[in-house]
């Protein structure tokens, strides 16, 4: 069953690779993407039920991923937020979790874990 993924990533190359990766490997439908915190928060506010998984990079063109995670606080129980970043320090993992991230994956070393996480995703009810 396909689930809806939303990408917050400022690198066009990584974003394009992630879209292909998610659609081919993880059975996801990428519904939209953003490259800034402001753009991501606005989209999430307008599409409260339009996603099942949001994947957030911490470093964006403007703003940062922590603000995006925080903006997802009042999401439905089935909606998950994961961080995918090269900046996978213990402090950033802790801060992301405190703000409400469900998982944190290192871009350079933990893509297999991201695939495994995606396999647990359930599409939105209805």
């Amino acid at each position: 069953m396909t689930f809806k993924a939303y990408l917050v990533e400022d690198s066009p190359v990584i974003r394009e690779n992630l879209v292909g990766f998610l659609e081919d490997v993880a059975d996801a439908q990428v519904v939209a993407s953003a490259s800034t915190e402001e753009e991501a928060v606005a989209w999430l506010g307008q599409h409260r039920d339009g996603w099942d998984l949001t994947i957030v990079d911490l470093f964006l063109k403007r703003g940062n991923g922590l603000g995006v995670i925080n903006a997802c606080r009042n999401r439905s129980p089935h909606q998950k937020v994961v961080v995918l970043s090269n900046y996978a320090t213990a402090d950033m993992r802790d801060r992301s979790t405190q703000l409400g991230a469900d998982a944190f994956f290192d871009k350079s070393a933990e893509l297999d874990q991201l695939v495994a996480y995606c396999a647990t995703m359930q599409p939105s009810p209805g």
Side-chain angles (χ1 to χ4, degrees):
M1 296 273 297
T2 304
F3 64 91
K4 296 177 192 153
Y6 179 58
L7 291 181
V8 185
E9 166 64 61
D10 63 340
S11 163
V13 172
I14 293 173
R15 196 167 52 235
E16 194 174 303
N17 288 339
L18 269 175
V19 168
F21 170 80
L22 287 165
E23 292 182 345
D24 295 345
V25 179
D27 198 24
Q29 172 195 357
V30 177
V31 290
S33 63
S35 57
T36 69
E37 177 182 349
E38 181 183 16
E39 188 184 351
V41 169
W43 188 91
L44 288 162
Q46 293 163 0
H47 301 87
R48 293 201 180 280
D49 299 322
W51 58 278
D52 300 306
L53 175 67
T54 292
I55 299 175
V56 182
D57 186 13
L58 291 177
F59 292 100
L60 303 171
K61 229 177 242 172
R62 283 194 317 276
N64 65 64
L66 296 174
V68 177
I69 298 165
N70 195 42
C72 293
R73 275 194 181 278
N74 297 324
R75 64 188 180 269
S76 300
H78 79 276
Q79 292 175 311
K80 302 297 179 192
V81 177
V82 301
V83 176
L84 182 64
S85 177
N86 284 323
Y87 198 65
T89 63
D91 179 52
M92 282 318 236
R93 287 178 188 265
D94 288 346
R95 285 181 66 190
S96 298
T97 303
Q98 286 166 4
L99 286 171
D102 295 291
F104 192 116
F105 302 102
D106 184 329
K107 249 185 219 176
S108 56
E110 297 178 336
L111 286 180
D112 288 348
Q113 288 94 318
L114 176 61
V115 172
Y117 188 89
C118 287
T120 70
M121 289 298 303
Q122 299 297 317
S124 55

